[in-house]
Amino acid sequence: MWSVTGSPFTRIHEGLWFAGRRPDTDIAHKNLRLYAERLRDVMTETAARSLS
């Protein structure tokens, strides 16, 4: 799913750009959605801790 030589993430001024292939099955779509939601939660919690 990911490039061996590159990262699926790119930091830009507006935030973080996540690159991945479009899921072609229902299971893959669900897993990608869950991954993105959990990643957002981790990033939000990390940012909140750094501000307090």
Side-chain angles (χ1 to χ4, degrees):
M1 182 173 187
W2 309 121
S3 168
V4 174
T5 59
S7 171
F9 302 103
T10 302
R11 291 181 1 184
I12 57 176
H13 180 72
E14 293 82 9
L16 184 71
W17 186 268
F18 175 78
R21 294 182 186 216
R22 185 178 188 95
D24 57 354
T25 65
D26 289 339
I27 295 288
H29 185 270
K30 177 186 172 189
N31 287 336
L32 185 59
R33 180 182 52 82
L34 290 173
Y35 181 84
E37 289 174 1
R38 290 178 184 150
L39 177 62
R40 182 185 60 222
D41 292 343
V42 167
M43 292 175 66
T44 302
E45 291 171 12
T46 302
R49 272 189 254 139
S50 70
L51 294 175
S52 54

Short mmCIF file of all heavy atoms in Angstrom, two decimals:
data_model
loop_
_atom_site.label_atom_id
_atom_site.label_comp_id
_atom_site.label_asym_id
_atom_site.label_seq_id
_atom_site.Cartn_x
_atom_site.Cartn_y
_atom_site.Cartn_z
N MET A 1 0.82 -1.19 0.00
CA MET A 1 0.00 0.00 0.00
C MET A 1 0.86 1.26 0.00
O MET A 1 0.53 2.22 -0.63
CB MET A 1 -0.93 -0.02 1.19
CG MET A 1 -1.85 1.15 1.25
SD MET A 1 -3.03 0.93 2.57
CE MET A 1 -4.07 2.31 2.26
N TRP A 2 1.99 1.27 0.71
CA TRP A 2 2.82 2.46 0.78
C TRP A 2 4.06 2.29 -0.08
O TRP A 2 4.53 1.19 -0.30
CB TRP A 2 3.27 2.73 2.22
CG TRP A 2 2.15 2.73 3.18
CD1 TRP A 2 2.01 1.91 4.26
CD2 TRP A 2 0.99 3.54 3.17
NE1 TRP A 2 0.86 2.17 4.90
CE2 TRP A 2 0.19 3.17 4.26
CE3 TRP A 2 0.53 4.55 2.35
CZ2 TRP A 2 -1.02 3.77 4.54
CZ3 TRP A 2 -0.68 5.14 2.63
CH2 TRP A 2 -1.43 4.75 3.72
N SER A 3 4.57 3.38 -0.49
CA SER A 3 5.83 3.37 -1.23
C SER A 3 6.95 2.94 -0.29
O SER A 3 7.02 3.39 0.85
CB SER A 3 6.11 4.77 -1.77
OG SER A 3 7.42 4.86 -2.23
N VAL A 4 7.80 2.08 -0.75
CA VAL A 4 8.91 1.61 0.07
C VAL A 4 9.89 2.75 0.36
O VAL A 4 10.45 2.84 1.43
CB VAL A 4 9.63 0.43 -0.62
CG1 VAL A 4 10.86 0.03 0.14
CG2 VAL A 4 8.68 -0.74 -0.77
N THR A 5 10.08 3.62 -0.60
CA THR A 5 11.08 4.68 -0.45
C THR A 5 10.52 5.96 0.16
O THR A 5 11.28 6.79 0.62
CB THR A 5 11.69 5.03 -1.82
OG1 THR A 5 10.64 5.46 -2.69
CG2 THR A 5 12.40 3.84 -2.40
N GLY A 6 9.23 6.13 0.18
CA GLY A 6 8.66 7.37 0.67
C GLY A 6 7.70 7.19 1.82
O GLY A 6 7.31 6.08 2.15
N SER A 7 7.34 8.28 2.42
CA SER A 7 6.41 8.27 3.53
C SER A 7 5.01 8.62 3.03
O SER A 7 4.86 9.42 2.11
CB SER A 7 6.84 9.32 4.56
OG SER A 7 5.85 9.49 5.53
N PRO A 8 3.97 8.05 3.64
CA PRO A 8 2.61 8.40 3.24
C PRO A 8 2.18 9.76 3.79
O PRO A 8 1.09 10.22 3.52
CB PRO A 8 1.76 7.28 3.84
CG PRO A 8 2.53 6.82 5.02
CD PRO A 8 3.98 6.99 4.64
N PHE A 9 3.06 10.42 4.55
CA PHE A 9 2.72 11.70 5.16
C PHE A 9 3.59 12.81 4.59
O PHE A 9 4.78 12.65 4.39
CB PHE A 9 2.94 11.65 6.68
CG PHE A 9 2.14 10.59 7.34
CD1 PHE A 9 2.74 9.41 7.74
CD2 PHE A 9 0.79 10.75 7.56
CE1 PHE A 9 2.01 8.41 8.35
CE2 PHE A 9 0.04 9.75 8.15
CZ PHE A 9 0.65 8.59 8.56
N THR A 10 2.96 13.97 4.39
CA THR A 10 3.68 15.17 3.98
C THR A 10 3.20 16.30 4.88
O THR A 10 2.00 16.52 5.01
CB THR A 10 3.37 15.53 2.51
OG1 THR A 10 3.74 14.43 1.69
CG2 THR A 10 4.13 16.77 2.08
N ARG A 11 4.14 16.97 5.51
CA ARG A 11 3.77 18.11 6.34
C ARG A 11 3.70 19.35 5.46
O ARG A 11 4.63 19.66 4.72
CB ARG A 11 4.80 18.32 7.45
CG ARG A 11 4.73 17.22 8.46
CD ARG A 11 5.70 17.35 9.60
NE ARG A 11 6.54 18.52 9.58
CZ ARG A 11 7.49 18.74 10.46
NH1 ARG A 11 7.73 17.87 11.38
NH2 ARG A 11 8.22 19.83 10.40
N ILE A 12 2.57 20.04 5.54
CA ILE A 12 2.39 21.28 4.80
C ILE A 12 1.93 22.35 5.78
O ILE A 12 1.58 22.05 6.92
CB ILE A 12 1.37 21.11 3.64
CG1 ILE A 12 0.03 20.60 4.16
CG2 ILE A 12 1.92 20.16 2.59
CD1 ILE A 12 -1.06 20.50 3.11
N HIS A 13 1.93 23.60 5.33
CA HIS A 13 1.56 24.71 6.21
C HIS A 13 0.17 24.52 6.82
O HIS A 13 -0.06 24.83 7.98
CB HIS A 13 1.64 26.03 5.44
CG HIS A 13 1.28 27.21 6.27
ND1 HIS A 13 2.11 27.68 7.26
CD2 HIS A 13 0.17 27.99 6.29
CE1 HIS A 13 1.53 28.73 7.84
NE2 HIS A 13 0.37 28.93 7.28
N GLU A 14 -0.75 24.00 6.04
CA GLU A 14 -2.13 23.85 6.50
C GLU A 14 -2.33 22.64 7.42
O GLU A 14 -3.36 22.49 8.03
CB GLU A 14 -3.09 23.71 5.31
CG GLU A 14 -3.21 24.96 4.47
CD GLU A 14 -2.08 25.09 3.46
OE1 GLU A 14 -1.31 24.13 3.29
OE2 GLU A 14 -1.97 26.16 2.86
N GLY A 15 -1.33 21.76 7.49
CA GLY A 15 -1.48 20.59 8.34
C GLY A 15 -0.70 19.41 7.80
O GLY A 15 0.39 19.55 7.28
N LEU A 16 -1.29 18.24 7.88
CA LEU A 16 -0.64 17.00 7.47
C LEU A 16 -1.41 16.40 6.31
O LEU A 16 -2.64 16.26 6.38
CB LEU A 16 -0.62 16.02 8.65
CG LEU A 16 0.10 14.71 8.44
CD1 LEU A 16 1.61 14.95 8.38
CD2 LEU A 16 -0.23 13.76 9.57
N TRP A 17 -0.71 16.06 5.25
CA TRP A 17 -1.33 15.44 4.08
C TRP A 17 -1.03 13.96 4.14
O TRP A 17 0.11 13.54 4.23
CB TRP A 17 -0.75 16.06 2.81
CG TRP A 17 -1.43 15.58 1.57
CD1 TRP A 17 -1.04 14.52 0.82
CD2 TRP A 17 -2.59 16.10 0.97
NE1 TRP A 17 -1.90 14.36 -0.25
CE2 TRP A 17 -2.87 15.33 -0.16
CE3 TRP A 17 -3.45 17.16 1.28
CZ2 TRP A 17 -3.96 15.58 -0.99
CZ3 TRP A 17 -4.51 17.40 0.45
CH2 TRP A 17 -4.76 16.62 -0.66
N PHE A 18 -2.09 13.15 4.10
CA PHE A 18 -1.97 11.71 4.17
C PHE A 18 -2.26 11.13 2.80
O PHE A 18 -3.32 11.38 2.23
CB PHE A 18 -2.97 11.16 5.20
CG PHE A 18 -3.02 9.67 5.28
CD1 PHE A 18 -2.05 8.97 5.96
CD2 PHE A 18 -4.06 8.97 4.69
CE1 PHE A 18 -2.11 7.60 6.05
CE2 PHE A 18 -4.11 7.60 4.77
CZ PHE A 18 -3.14 6.91 5.45
N ALA A 19 -1.31 10.39 2.25
CA ALA A 19 -1.48 9.82 0.92
C ALA A 19 -1.62 8.31 1.02
O ALA A 19 -0.85 7.65 1.70
CB ALA A 19 -0.29 10.17 0.03
N GLY A 20 -2.61 7.79 0.37
CA GLY A 20 -2.81 6.34 0.33
C GLY A 20 -3.61 5.97 -0.90
O GLY A 20 -4.20 6.83 -1.56
N ARG A 21 -3.64 4.71 -1.19
CA ARG A 21 -4.43 4.26 -2.33
C ARG A 21 -5.89 4.16 -1.96
O ARG A 21 -6.23 3.87 -0.82
CB ARG A 21 -3.93 2.91 -2.80
CG ARG A 21 -2.55 2.99 -3.36
CD ARG A 21 -2.12 1.64 -3.85
NE ARG A 21 -0.73 1.74 -4.25
CZ ARG A 21 -0.23 1.09 -5.26
NH1 ARG A 21 -0.96 0.26 -5.95
NH2 ARG A 21 1.03 1.23 -5.57
N ARG A 22 -6.73 4.38 -2.93
CA ARG A 22 -8.16 4.29 -2.69
C ARG A 22 -8.53 2.83 -2.38
O ARG A 22 -8.18 1.93 -3.13
CB ARG A 22 -8.92 4.76 -3.93
CG ARG A 22 -10.40 4.80 -3.73
CD ARG A 22 -11.07 5.33 -5.00
NE ARG A 22 -12.47 5.54 -4.73
CZ ARG A 22 -12.99 6.69 -4.38
NH1 ARG A 22 -12.21 7.74 -4.27
NH2 ARG A 22 -14.27 6.81 -4.15
N PRO A 23 -9.22 2.61 -1.24
CA PRO A 23 -9.59 1.24 -0.87
C PRO A 23 -10.53 0.64 -1.92
O PRO A 23 -11.45 1.30 -2.40
CB PRO A 23 -10.32 1.41 0.45
CG PRO A 23 -10.07 2.79 0.91
CD PRO A 23 -9.69 3.59 -0.28
N ASP A 24 -10.29 -0.62 -2.27
CA ASP A 24 -11.12 -1.26 -3.30
C ASP A 24 -12.09 -2.29 -2.74
O ASP A 24 -12.82 -2.92 -3.49
CB ASP A 24 -10.24 -1.87 -4.39
CG ASP A 24 -9.24 -2.87 -3.84
OD1 ASP A 24 -9.15 -3.01 -2.60
OD2 ASP A 24 -8.55 -3.51 -4.65
N THR A 25 -12.09 -2.48 -1.43
CA THR A 25 -13.06 -3.38 -0.81
C THR A 25 -13.67 -2.69 0.41
O THR A 25 -13.11 -1.70 0.92
CB THR A 25 -12.39 -4.70 -0.34
OG1 THR A 25 -11.45 -4.40 0.69
CG2 THR A 25 -11.70 -5.42 -1.50
N ASP A 26 -14.78 -3.19 0.86
CA ASP A 26 -15.43 -2.62 2.04
C ASP A 26 -14.53 -2.72 3.27
O ASP A 26 -14.45 -1.79 4.07
CB ASP A 26 -16.76 -3.31 2.31
CG ASP A 26 -17.82 -2.96 1.28
OD1 ASP A 26 -17.68 -1.92 0.61
OD2 ASP A 26 -18.79 -3.72 1.15
N ILE A 27 -13.85 -3.86 3.42
CA ILE A 27 -12.96 -4.05 4.57
C ILE A 27 -11.80 -3.05 4.52
O ILE A 27 -11.45 -2.45 5.53
CB ILE A 27 -12.42 -5.49 4.61
CG1 ILE A 27 -13.55 -6.48 4.86
CG2 ILE A 27 -11.32 -5.65 5.64
CD1 ILE A 27 -14.11 -6.46 6.26
N ALA A 28 -11.21 -2.89 3.35
CA ALA A 28 -10.10 -1.94 3.21
C ALA A 28 -10.56 -0.52 3.49
O ALA A 28 -9.86 0.26 4.14
CB ALA A 28 -9.50 -2.04 1.82
N HIS A 29 -11.74 -0.17 3.04
CA HIS A 29 -12.28 1.17 3.29
C HIS A 29 -12.49 1.39 4.78
O HIS A 29 -12.12 2.42 5.33
CB HIS A 29 -13.60 1.35 2.53
CG HIS A 29 -14.15 2.73 2.64
ND1 HIS A 29 -15.01 3.10 3.65
CD2 HIS A 29 -13.94 3.83 1.89
CE1 HIS A 29 -15.32 4.37 3.50
NE2 HIS A 29 -14.67 4.84 2.44
N LYS A 30 -13.05 0.40 5.45
CA LYS A 30 -13.27 0.50 6.89
C LYS A 30 -11.95 0.64 7.63
O LYS A 30 -11.82 1.49 8.52
CB LYS A 30 -14.01 -0.74 7.39
CG LYS A 30 -14.21 -0.76 8.88
CD LYS A 30 -14.83 -2.08 9.34
CE LYS A 30 -14.84 -2.15 10.85
NZ LYS A 30 -15.22 -3.46 11.33
N ASN A 31 -10.95 -0.17 7.27
CA ASN A 31 -9.66 -0.12 7.95
C ASN A 31 -8.97 1.21 7.74
O ASN A 31 -8.37 1.76 8.68
CB ASN A 31 -8.77 -1.27 7.49
CG ASN A 31 -9.22 -2.60 8.05
OD1 ASN A 31 -9.88 -2.67 9.08
ND2 ASN A 31 -8.88 -3.66 7.35
N LEU A 32 -9.02 1.75 6.53
CA LEU A 32 -8.40 3.04 6.26
C LEU A 32 -9.10 4.15 7.05
O LEU A 32 -8.46 5.03 7.62
CB LEU A 32 -8.42 3.36 4.77
CG LEU A 32 -7.70 4.63 4.35
CD1 LEU A 32 -6.23 4.58 4.75
CD2 LEU A 32 -7.83 4.84 2.86
N ARG A 33 -10.43 4.09 7.10
CA ARG A 33 -11.19 5.09 7.87
C ARG A 33 -10.82 5.02 9.35
O ARG A 33 -10.56 6.04 9.99
CB ARG A 33 -12.69 4.87 7.68
CG ARG A 33 -13.56 5.87 8.45
CD ARG A 33 -15.04 5.59 8.27
NE ARG A 33 -15.41 4.23 8.56
CZ ARG A 33 -15.64 3.75 9.80
NH1 ARG A 33 -15.49 4.54 10.85
NH2 ARG A 33 -15.99 2.50 9.98
N LEU A 34 -10.77 3.80 9.91
CA LEU A 34 -10.41 3.64 11.32
C LEU A 34 -8.99 4.13 11.59
O LEU A 34 -8.72 4.77 12.61
CB LEU A 34 -10.55 2.18 11.75
CG LEU A 34 -11.98 1.65 11.83
CD1 LEU A 34 -11.98 0.15 12.09
CD2 LEU A 34 -12.77 2.39 12.90
N TYR A 35 -8.06 3.82 10.69
CA TYR A 35 -6.68 4.27 10.83
C TYR A 35 -6.63 5.80 10.86
O TYR A 35 -5.96 6.39 11.73
CB TYR A 35 -5.83 3.72 9.69
CG TYR A 35 -4.38 4.13 9.78
CD1 TYR A 35 -3.50 3.41 10.57
CD2 TYR A 35 -3.91 5.23 9.07
CE1 TYR A 35 -2.16 3.78 10.66
CE2 TYR A 35 -2.58 5.60 9.16
CZ TYR A 35 -1.72 4.88 9.94
OH TYR A 35 -0.41 5.26 10.03
N ALA A 36 -7.32 6.44 9.94
CA ALA A 36 -7.31 7.90 9.88
C ALA A 36 -7.94 8.51 11.13
O ALA A 36 -7.44 9.51 11.67
CB ALA A 36 -8.04 8.38 8.63
N GLU A 37 -9.02 7.91 11.63
CA GLU A 37 -9.67 8.42 12.84
C GLU A 37 -8.75 8.28 14.05
O GLU A 37 -8.63 9.21 14.86
CB GLU A 37 -10.97 7.67 13.10
CG GLU A 37 -12.07 8.03 12.12
CD GLU A 37 -13.32 7.16 12.29
OE1 GLU A 37 -13.34 6.30 13.20
OE2 GLU A 37 -14.27 7.35 11.51
N ARG A 38 -8.09 7.15 14.18
CA ARG A 38 -7.18 6.95 15.31
C ARG A 38 -5.96 7.85 15.21
O ARG A 38 -5.48 8.37 16.22
CB ARG A 38 -6.77 5.48 15.39
CG ARG A 38 -7.93 4.62 15.82
CD ARG A 38 -7.59 3.16 15.86
NE ARG A 38 -8.78 2.38 16.20
CZ ARG A 38 -8.99 1.15 15.78
NH1 ARG A 38 -8.10 0.55 15.03
NH2 ARG A 38 -10.10 0.52 16.12
N LEU A 39 -5.45 8.04 14.00
CA LEU A 39 -4.33 8.95 13.81
C LEU A 39 -4.73 10.36 14.22
O LEU A 39 -3.97 11.05 14.92
CB LEU A 39 -3.87 8.92 12.35
CG LEU A 39 -2.75 9.88 11.99
CD1 LEU A 39 -1.48 9.54 12.77
CD2 LEU A 39 -2.49 9.83 10.49
N ARG A 40 -5.92 10.79 13.83
CA ARG A 40 -6.40 12.12 14.22
C ARG A 40 -6.49 12.24 15.73
O ARG A 40 -6.10 13.25 16.32
CB ARG A 40 -7.76 12.39 13.57
CG ARG A 40 -8.30 13.78 13.89
CD ARG A 40 -9.70 13.99 13.36
NE ARG A 40 -10.59 13.01 13.95
CZ ARG A 40 -11.54 12.34 13.29
NH1 ARG A 40 -11.70 12.56 12.01
NH2 ARG A 40 -12.31 11.48 13.91
N ASP A 41 -7.00 11.19 16.40
CA ASP A 41 -7.11 11.21 17.86
C ASP A 41 -5.74 11.33 18.52
O ASP A 41 -5.57 12.12 19.45
CB ASP A 41 -7.81 9.94 18.36
CG ASP A 41 -9.28 9.88 17.95
OD1 ASP A 41 -9.85 10.93 17.57
OD2 ASP A 41 -9.84 8.77 18.01
N VAL A 42 -4.77 10.58 18.04
CA VAL A 42 -3.42 10.63 18.61
C VAL A 42 -2.82 12.01 18.41
O VAL A 42 -2.23 12.59 19.34
CB VAL A 42 -2.51 9.55 17.98
CG1 VAL A 42 -1.05 9.80 18.31
CG2 VAL A 42 -2.95 8.17 18.42
N MET A 43 -2.99 12.58 17.24
CA MET A 43 -2.43 13.90 16.96
C MET A 43 -3.11 14.97 17.81
O MET A 43 -2.45 15.88 18.32
CB MET A 43 -2.56 14.22 15.48
CG MET A 43 -1.69 13.34 14.62
SD MET A 43 -1.92 13.59 12.87
CE MET A 43 -1.33 15.25 12.69
N THR A 44 -4.42 14.88 17.98
CA THR A 44 -5.15 15.84 18.79
C THR A 44 -4.72 15.76 20.25
O THR A 44 -4.50 16.77 20.91
CB THR A 44 -6.66 15.60 18.67
OG1 THR A 44 -7.03 15.69 17.29
CG2 THR A 44 -7.46 16.60 19.47
N GLU A 45 -4.61 14.53 20.77
CA GLU A 45 -4.18 14.35 22.17
C GLU A 45 -2.75 14.85 22.37
O GLU A 45 -2.44 15.49 23.39
CB GLU A 45 -4.27 12.88 22.56
CG GLU A 45 -5.70 12.38 22.67
CD GLU A 45 -5.76 10.87 22.86
OE1 GLU A 45 -4.71 10.24 23.13
OE2 GLU A 45 -6.87 10.32 22.74
N THR A 46 -1.88 14.59 21.43
CA THR A 46 -0.49 15.05 21.53
C THR A 46 -0.42 16.57 21.53
O THR A 46 0.30 17.16 22.33
CB THR A 46 0.34 14.47 20.38
OG1 THR A 46 0.26 13.04 20.42
CG2 THR A 46 1.79 14.90 20.47
N ALA A 47 -1.18 17.19 20.66
CA ALA A 47 -1.19 18.66 20.60
C ALA A 47 -1.75 19.24 21.88
O ALA A 47 -1.23 20.24 22.40
CB ALA A 47 -2.00 19.12 19.40
N ALA A 48 -2.80 18.64 22.42
CA ALA A 48 -3.41 19.14 23.65
C ALA A 48 -2.42 19.05 24.82
O ALA A 48 -2.34 19.96 25.65
CB ALA A 48 -4.67 18.36 23.97
N ARG A 49 -1.66 17.94 24.88
CA ARG A 49 -0.68 17.77 25.96
C ARG A 49 0.45 18.80 25.84
O ARG A 49 0.95 19.30 26.84
CB ARG A 49 -0.09 16.37 25.94
CG ARG A 49 -0.91 15.40 26.74
CD ARG A 49 -0.19 14.08 26.88
NE ARG A 49 -0.89 13.15 25.98
CZ ARG A 49 -0.31 12.26 25.21
NH1 ARG A 49 0.99 12.16 25.20
NH2 ARG A 49 -1.01 11.49 24.45
N SER A 50 0.84 19.11 24.62
CA SER A 50 1.95 20.06 24.45
C SER A 50 1.52 21.49 24.79
O SER A 50 2.36 22.33 25.08
CB SER A 50 2.51 19.99 23.04
OG SER A 50 1.59 20.50 22.11
N LEU A 51 0.23 21.77 24.74
CA LEU A 51 -0.27 23.11 25.05
C LEU A 51 -0.54 23.31 26.53
O LEU A 51 -0.67 24.42 26.99
CB LEU A 51 -1.54 23.40 24.26
CG LEU A 51 -1.37 23.50 22.74
CD1 LEU A 51 -2.72 23.67 22.06
CD2 LEU A 51 -0.45 24.65 22.38
N SER A 52 -0.64 22.20 27.28
CA SER A 52 -0.96 22.34 28.70
C SER A 52 0.27 22.30 29.58
O SER A 52 1.37 22.26 29.19
CB SER A 52 -1.92 21.25 29.15
OG SER A 52 -1.45 19.96 28.84
#
